[in-house]
Amino acid sequence: MKKDKILVIGACGQIGVELTLALRKIYGAENVLASDLREQNELLKGTGPYVSIDVMKKDALQLQVIRQGITQIYHLAAILSATGERSPLIAWNLNMQGLLNVLEIAREEKLDKVYWPSSIAVFGNSSPKQNCPQQTIIEPSTVYGISKYAGEFWCNYFFMRYGVDVRSLRYPGIISYKSAPGGGTTDYAVEIYHQALKEKSYECFLKEDTYLPMMYMADAIRATIELMEAPAEKISVRTSYNVAAMSFSPKEIFQEIKKHIPDFTISYKSDFRQTIADSWPQSIDDNVARKDWGWKEEFNLSETTADMLKNLQL
Ligand code: VAH
């Protein structure tokens, strides 16, 4: 039986680090090749093979895929919402061309599977704010959201036209302690834990009542692997699945942390990211993912907070 050989592109990012470590546990370290443009993340050093790859250089990437006998690609490299608004065309180019390079290589090399993350950032002001459904009016207002929504249609096209088994999740904001987030609007929900422990105070760049869909990293990694390991016939969505776990506001996460750190204080000074956050849904309906491949979250805000603070204090 052909051995799975996985390439993770963007392995040094917030999700990439933990996804690489999780995949290495399942498939064996030597069968998961981690790659990124930047220096290898300290957490990955010594855990398996690493190679520096620029996803924008298709020929060099394809050579690696052939030489290493890659059978699956997890393509995570992207410029996120906040950074993308500072460099719109750079974000569009990386997010789109990077994906197209991976899809073309998957087609030409007949790869078994591809994973590519989308985001709840595809939704805009015209989408329902509460329990935003899998299919609805979708008019993204950030370059990141535009690139993710366009990418979803490219994934569906490569599946329908060429049979490329590419699968995708619309991640909410992801909370983690191992690796830092990278330029997103939901990054406050990670920074707040670090600041609570270091400074016992935090200046939040979103207003206190800004509700956003969020997910603990452990749930996000499990959702990704469960989707990729689901039988193909169970996958009814070839754009990208809504997945959800919890929704909360800065005020609620502050109050949850305060249960552990009573003298923790917060102030609010919203910046350009407030407009981005206001354009997104406050909660997500993920019943299609639950029905198709049995998605169910395990971490709520209280459990996330306890686990974050415990691990950040180690
Ligand atoms: C961002 N963390 O803030 C990402 C995510 C839903 C938001 O895609 O841009």
Side-chain angles (χ1 to χ4, degrees):
M1 191 173 99
K2 193 170 57 168
K3 215 166 175 44
D4 290 314
K5 192 77 187 286
I6 295 172
L7 170 64
V8 180
I9 300 172
C12 296
Q14 181 193 15
I15 297 171
V17 167
E18 300 215 35
L19 189 55
T20 299
L21 294 171
L23 290 168
R24 284 177 169 166
K25 279 205 188 98
I26 298 168
Y27 293 94
E30 69 288 352
N31 297 314
V32 181
L33 176 60
S35 75
D36 206 302
L37 201 51
R38 45 193 147 165
E39 178 76 11
Q40 184 173 194
N41 183 294
E42 283 303 317
L43 291 171
L44 293 181
K45 283 183 180 169
T47 67
Y50 182 84
V51 63
S52 178
I53 288 182
D54 180 350
V55 71
M56 300 300 277
K57 295 190 168 65
K58 180 178 178 283
D59 294 347
L61 173 57
Q62 194 153 1
L63 208 53
Q64 280 290 347
V65 166
I66 295 164
R67 278 193 186 142
Q68 303 280 350
I70 298 298
T71 60
Q72 297 184 32
I73 294 179
Y74 285 68
H75 172 38
L76 306 172
I79 291 177
L80 301 185
S81 60
T83 308
E85 291 308 292
R86 294 196 183 103
S87 317
L89 295 185
I90 291 170
W92 169 260
N93 196 32
L94 168 65
N95 294 2
M96 281 326 318
Q97 196 55 54
L99 172 62
L100 289 170
N101 287 348
V102 167
L103 291 173
E104 269 291 85
I105 290 167
R107 176 178 69 84
E108 291 164 7
E109 302 305 326
K110 296 181 177 46
L111 298 191
D112 293 343
K113 285 179 201 171
V114 173
Y115 178 74
W116 172 78
S118 182
S119 162
I120 59 115
V122 299
F123 298 110
N125 279 308
S126 54
S127 304
K129 289 294 181 201
Q130 303 301 334
N131 295 318
C132 189
Q134 178 70 45
Q135 289 193 307
T136 182
I137 301 167
I138 301 187
E139 296 173 325
S141 54
T142 61
V143 172
Y144 174 65
I146 294 165
S147 71
K148 286 299 183 181
Y149 200 33
E152 290 186 10
F153 288 110
W154 274 116
C155 291
N156 190 58
Y157 181 85
F158 269 77
F159 173 72
M160 301 301 281
R161 174 90 189 266
Y162 305 117
V164 173
D165 187 353
V166 49
R167 306 182 187 190
S168 178
L169 297 175
R170 288 172 179 160
Y171 286 137
I174 306 288
I175 299 170
S176 64
Y177 59 87
K178 282 186 188 162
S179 46
T185 300
T186 59
D187 294 2
Y188 91 88
V190 176
E191 292 170 4
I192 192 168
Y193 289 104
H194 292 271
Q195 292 300 103
L197 289 167
K198 258 191 305 205
E199 315 288 341
K200 291 202 182 338
S201 70
Y202 178 58
E203 183 179 83
C204 183
F205 57 74
L206 296 180
K207 288 178 188 154
E208 65 176 354
D209 58 352
T210 308
Y211 273 85
L212 287 172
M214 298 280 185
M215 185 179 286
Y216 197 37
M217 180 64 82
D219 273 343
I221 298 302
R222 184 171 52 82
T224 306
I225 292 171
E226 286 179 2
L227 170 70
M228 289 298 276
E229 294 188 341
E233 60 272 16
K234 289 198 179 288
I235 308 297
S236 71
V237 173
R238 290 291 179 168
T239 47
S240 187
Y241 277 97
N242 281 6
V243 278
M246 52 186 156
S247 290
F248 55 77
S249 65
K251 185 177 177 185
E252 289 178 340
I253 190 173
F254 162 69
Q255 288 167 339
E256 196 57 44
I257 294 171
K258 208 169 166 59
K259 290 176 188 171
H260 299 263
I261 306 171
D263 51 349
F264 178 37
T265 62
I266 191 168
S267 58
Y268 300 94
K269 190 177 175 200
S270 58
D271 65 16
F272 75 100
R273 289 168 285 192
Q274 186 67 50
T275 309
I276 297 172
D278 289 344
S279 72
W280 291 346
Q282 293 183 354
S283 61
I284 298 290
D285 174 350
D286 59 2
N287 71 55
V288 179
R290 293 171 192 267
K291 179 176 63 60
D292 282 5
W293 44 275
W295 166 242
K296 181 162 181 9
E297 78 287 350
E298 290 178 2
F299 284 84
N300 61 24
L301 177 56
S302 166
E303 290 150 344
T304 297
T305 300
D307 202 64
M308 279 290 283
L309 293 175
K310 182 186 75 176
N311 284 284
L312 286 174
Q313 290 176 86
L314 292 182

